[in-house]
């Protein structure tokens, strides 16, 4: 990565007829401004260029870019100038998708085709957990623990799983388990229970039991005769397909839905929990974030437009809490 960034710098220096190995702080500043103004690179990318150039110039020119005050002030100004305006309105309507999951072909789950049982269960588990696709993918079948009278389910990752936020010398620092409460504890409405992740998971495991064999993962392939484990990308495709199927069934424009990502469901889960006054500390803990800025800057979405529709669906399980 540093080599590629250094090559960009050397090519730029060639146009200026200067020796890149003898670059001055002013020359580096001009280069960073060029990347910002002409190439529209983000501040995070500029930080990478600064580190790459500093790695070489510290050896060739005794120039410490990391402690140069002029460069530091420039980077601070560029950081303010390149604040990313992140979309606050969801890319798709969660309430609409959940409404579709209560109807055919997803219900009744005991008779529905396994494809739709799988899609619905994966969708509800990710929504209920607020976790990453890799963490959902890592969940172990033999570690499933059911609460008394089906009041909750506790899910744990496989022993060899290392989360994105885990430290090499402190494994499992961020991801111990997922605890999902059941909706049956607070409602007996059949239509509302259709969105209960605990119910969906129990039915899914019963439906897949005949051909699960020695599979260690909680979620297994829908393909007949497939003997391997699914990839984490499969979880993403299941989430995307669930949204697309819901939109097609509802005669909504699914052709324009090109940017559906499983990460969006993580945003919606945490955002609805926040909207329903779930404690911020609980949201951060459930979703595996160490500080609130990650949530507020990258994941928080404005659900005002669909809030009434979500409330009309009844209680939901999001970010490991009932909302």
């Amino acid at each position: 990565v540093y080599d590629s960034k250094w090559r960009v710098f050397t090519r730029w220096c060639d146009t200026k007829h200067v020796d890149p190995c003898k670059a001055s702080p002013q020359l580096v500043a001009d280069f960073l401004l060029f990347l910002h103004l002409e190439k529209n690179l983000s501040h995070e990318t500029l930080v990478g260029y600064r580190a790459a150039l500093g790695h070489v110039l510290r050896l060739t020119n005794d120039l410490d870019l990391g402690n140069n005050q002029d460069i530091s002030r420039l980077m601070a100004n560029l950081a303010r100038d390149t604040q990313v305006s992140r979309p606050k309105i969801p890319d798709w309507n969660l309430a609409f998708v959940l409404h579709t999951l209560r109807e055919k072909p997803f219900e009744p789950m005991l008779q529905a085709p396994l494809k739709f049982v799988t899609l619905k269960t994966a969708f509800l588990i990710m929504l209920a957990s607020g976790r990453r696709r890799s963490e959902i993918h890592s969940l172990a079948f033999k570690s499933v623990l059911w609460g008394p009278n089906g009041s909750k389910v506790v899910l744990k990752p496989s022993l060899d799983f290392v989360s994105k936020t885990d430290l090499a010398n402190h494994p499992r620092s961020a991801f111990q388990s997922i605890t999902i409460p059941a909706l049956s504890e607070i409602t007996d409405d059949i239509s509302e229970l259709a969105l209960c992740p605990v119910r969906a998971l129990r039915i899914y495991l019963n439906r897949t039991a005949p051909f699960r064999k020695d599979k260690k993962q909680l979620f297994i392939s829908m393909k007949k005769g497939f003997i391997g484990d699914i990839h984490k990308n499969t979880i993403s495709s299941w989430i995307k397909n669930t949204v697309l199927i819901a939109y097609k069934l509802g005669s909504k424009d699914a052709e324009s839905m090109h940017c559906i990502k499983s990460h969006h469901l993580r945003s919606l889960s945490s955002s609805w929990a926040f909207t329903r006054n779930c404690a911020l500390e609980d949201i951060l803990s459930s979703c595996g974030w160490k500080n609130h800025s990650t949530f507020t800057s990258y994941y928080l979405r404005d659900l005002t437009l669909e809030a009434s529709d979500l409330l009309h669906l009844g209680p939901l399980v999001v970010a490991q809490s009932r909302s």
Side-chain angles (χ1 to χ4, degrees), residues 160-180:
D160 59 350
F161 175 69
V162 178
S163 174
K164 179 181 178 180
T165 55
D166 279 345
L167 301 177
N169 57 341
H170 293 291
R172 297 289 173 80
S173 59
F175 184 26
Q176 294 285 355
S177 62
I178 294 171
T179 301
I180 299 177

Side-chain angles (χ1 to χ4, degrees), residues 101-110 112 120 194-195 199:
L101 293 182
R102 301 197 307 186
E103 302 176 342
K104 290 182 177 182
F106 297 98
E107 287 288 347
M109 289 188 71
L110 292 174
K120 176 173 179 174
L195 296 178
R199 165 188 175 266

Side-chain angles (χ1 to χ4, degrees), residues 105-106 112-121 207 222 238 241-242 245:
F106 297 98
L114 182 60
K115 169 185 175 180
F116 297 104
V117 173
T118 301
L119 294 180
K120 176 173 179 174
T121 304
R207 293 285 304 273
M222 295 183 288
W238 286 353
N241 287 336
T242 303
I245 290 172

Side-chain angles (χ1 to χ4, degrees), residues 25-321:
Q26 180 60 52
L27 185 70
V28 173
D30 289 343
F31 175 65
L32 293 174
L33 283 172
F34 162 76
L35 296 178
H36 170 64
L37 298 174
E38 302 295 331
K39 299 299 183 180
N40 297 317
L41 299 185
S42 67
H43 178 259
E44 289 83 357
T45 304
L46 296 181
V47 170
Y49 270 97
R50 177 187 183 180
L53 270 57
H55 181 71
V56 178
L57 294 177
R58 189 181 298 110
L59 301 174
T60 63
N61 199 25
D62 197 27
L63 178 59
D64 187 357
L65 294 181
N67 293 316
N68 185 280
Q69 293 186 359
D70 291 331
I71 297 296
S72 296
R73 282 194 289 267
L74 172 64
M75 294 298 292
N77 287 331
L78 294 180
R80 287 189 289 270
D81 193 39
T82 58
Q83 289 296 320
V84 179
S85 178
R86 304 196 178 275
K88 295 301 181 182
I89 303 298
D91 297 294
W92 45 271
N93 191 299
L94 174 63
F96 179 79
V97 175
L98 290 175
H99 176 76
T100 305
L101 293 182
R102 301 197 307 186
E103 302 176 342
K104 290 182 177 182
F106 297 98
E107 287 288 347
M109 289 188 71
L110 292 174
Q111 289 82 41
L114 182 60
K115 169 185 175 180
F116 297 104
V117 173
T118 301
L119 294 180
K120 176 173 179 174
T121 304
F123 189 93
L124 291 180
I125 291 296
M126 179 169 277
L127 176 68
S129 66
R131 285 289 181 167
R132 301 176 181 87
R133 64 166 185 175
S134 60
E135 294 167 335
I136 300 301
H137 172 261
S138 75
L139 295 177
F141 169 66
K142 291 186 177 181
S143 297
V144 176
L145 297 175
W146 301 98
N149 301 317
S151 59
K152 64 180 180 180
V153 65
V154 179
L155 307 174
K156 296 182 179 181
S158 58
L159 294 176
D160 59 350
F161 175 69
V162 178
S163 174
K164 179 181 178 180
T165 55
D166 279 345
L167 301 177
N169 57 341
H170 293 291
R172 297 289 173 80
S173 59
F175 184 26
Q176 294 285 355
S177 62
I178 294 171
T179 301
I180 299 177
L183 293 180
S184 58
E185 293 291 290
I186 58 175
T187 182
D188 56 4
D189 186 294
I190 296 177
S191 63
E192 293 178 352
L193 288 176
L195 296 178
C196 176
V198 176
R199 165 188 175 266
L201 181 60
R202 188 181 292 278
I203 294 175
Y204 171 76
L205 293 180
N206 288 336
R207 293 285 304 273
T208 56
F211 48 87
R212 177 172 288 275
K213 297 182 180 180
D214 58 350
K215 296 271 193 340
K216 296 180 180 180
Q217 289 180 308
L218 179 67
F219 287 103
I220 61 178
S221 176
M222 295 183 288
K223 297 178 181 178
K224 205 169 185 179
F226 187 86
I227 60 175
D229 293 329
I230 63 170
H231 191 272
K232 63 182 179 181
N233 290 341
T234 303
I235 301 293
S236 297
S237 68
W238 286 353
I239 301 303
K240 178 177 180 178
N241 287 336
T242 303
V243 176
L244 289 174
I245 290 172
Y247 267 64
K248 289 177 181 177
L249 290 173
S251 300
K252 285 186 174 270
D253 183 13
E255 299 302 324
S256 60
M257 308 278 290
H258 300 300
C259 299
I260 303 172
K261 298 179 180 179
S262 58
H263 232 48
H264 294 166
L265 192 53
R266 181 166 152 85
S267 296
L268 297 175
S269 173
S270 53
S271 297
W272 185 240
F274 185 74
T275 301
R276 298 293 291 158
N277 298 317
C278 182
L280 180 59
E281 293 77 11
D282 293 338
I283 296 175
L284 299 182
S285 176
S286 298
C287 297
W289 294 314
K290 295 181 179 179
N291 58 73
H292 69 85
S293 63
T294 302
F295 168 54
T296 56
S297 299
Y298 297 94
Y299 290 91
L300 184 59
R301 297 291 182 265
D302 183 1
L303 298 176
T304 303
L305 295 177
E306 57 181 296
S308 60
D309 292 331
L310 286 169
L311 290 171
H312 185 71
L313 291 169
L316 300 174
V317 183
V318 290
Q320 300 181 49
S321 64

